[in-house]
Amino acid sequence: MSRKFSVAVAGATGAVGNQMIACLEERDFPVGNIRLLASDRSRGRTLKFKGKDHPVEVMDENSFKGVEIALFSAGGGTSQRFAPIAAAAGAVVVDNSSAWRMDPDVPLVVPEVNPHAVAGYTKKGIIANPNCSTIQMVVALCPIHKKAGIKRIVVSTYQAVSGTGQKAIVELTEQMKAWAAGAPMEHKVYPHRIAFNCLPHIDVFGANGYTKEEMKMVNETRKILEDHDIAVTATTVRVPVFYSHSEAVNIETREKITPAEVKKLLASAPGVKVVDDPQNAVYPLAIDAAGQDLTYVGRIREDESIDNGINMWVVADNIRKGAATNAVQIAEILAEKYL
Ligand code: A2P
């Protein structure tokens, strides 16, 4: 009989935490014992795992005794504080927040791209799950980078509200209901109304005029692809979509690669599905990617404005491949190879 693991999900009641529980179940991860952790606000709640109700426990310093793998998605501040506590208790933390991603002693892993990096977990007992927009982009770009060498990436994102968490899903729903009822639309989560709008503002602005989300795409892409010479520039935009981020990605490669070659490469790339028949209005759509684990790529075409350029449209479910699924895939590598 294969070994089972004691697993904790920190932030179990949140948008990502919920999917982490679902992914563990769907992928039949060898869970021996599960602890579902959240804040004091969730005291008394229960959540289902494999048909059984489990109590949600309030996360504290003692929550990680006996835990072997802790999946965290409870916000940056919470990870900053509790991930080292969980690691000191003997758990390997897979953290979905941005708290540890750029720490040189913490691997930043996308299993289709740099699974070998998982080995670095021993330094701090923490593995970081990358930013959702970055994950889907590197899944699509890694095979091209290996073949033709990517020199520069220009990306614009169209990001779903679920990336902000459960409260943003509620805010968009309430605004749409208010609009349909002819009532005023209120906003608390975002600085402006998100219904029927696009906000070029995800996370906070830095001194260079870019948002933190944009700089995550720059820095995390380089770390995951293990190439610090790639030039990356991003504009990240929140759009009134519930699930799945879409991205217009433009790349300049060192060697010439044609759209047909890109399609062929991506057709056999792990975690990728090419959906590209624009003449028949077939291309990746957020509503089709929602609930799925693949990264969908279409609109693959030459950038005719430069010598070695390709444009493409990349879509994936930000809560699944962009967060929960990627974290559970990392846990699978840990379970199979390292623990
Ligand atoms: P809770 O539901 O009890 O507030 P989302 O990203 O959807 O907003 O979810 C955030 C998740 O992180 C929720 O499960 C939330 O629990 C949890 N969380 C937030 N702050 C803490 C904290 N200080 N300790 C434990 N869990 C937390």
Side-chain angles (χ1 to χ4, degrees), residues 192-212:
H192 306 279
R193 194 181 93 196
I194 183 67
F196 315 106
N197 206 2
C198 299
L199 309 180
H201 178 180
I202 300 184
D203 210 326
V204 297
F205 282 94
N208 63 355
Y210 286 84
T211 61
K212 264 195 181 171

Side-chain angles (χ1 to χ4, degrees), residues 17 61 72 78 89 115 138 165 178 185 190 227 234 263 268 274 290 299 329:
E61 280 77 359
F72 267 67
T78 312
V138 296
M185 289 177 265
Y190 295 117
D227 184 343
K263 279 184 206 174
S268 60
V274 175
R299 300 291 323 278
Q329 285 176 299

Side-chain angles (χ1 to χ4, degrees), residues 78 167 239 266:
T78 312
K167 55 197 183 302
V239 295
L266 294 184

Side-chain angles (χ1 to χ4, degrees), residues 161-178:
V161 296
S162 52
T164 315
Q166 202 59 47
K167 55 197 183 302
I169 297 174
V170 172
E171 180 150 304
L172 175 57
T173 308
E174 291 305 318
Q175 287 177 2
M176 293 197 301
K177 281 189 193 161

Side-chain angles (χ1 to χ4, degrees), residues 207-265:
N208 63 355
Y210 286 84
T211 61
K212 264 195 181 171
E213 183 81 355
E214 287 160 351
M215 295 315 295
K216 285 175 204 167
M217 291 195 79
V218 174
N219 297 321
E220 293 181 24
T221 297
R222 292 177 177 154
K223 181 167 174 177
I224 300 161
L225 293 177
E226 296 168 354
D227 184 343
H228 292 270
D229 294 332
I230 301 183
V232 185
T233 189
T235 303
T236 58
V237 181
R238 189 74 67 190
V239 295
V241 164
F242 285 111
Y243 295 100
S244 301
H245 293 347
S246 305
E247 300 175 343
V249 181
N250 171 267
I251 55 169
E252 182 175 1
T253 54
R254 292 178 206 284
E255 320 261 317
K256 178 82 187 164
I257 187 163
T258 66
E261 286 169 328
V262 170
K263 279 184 206 174
K264 197 161 168 233
L265 258 185

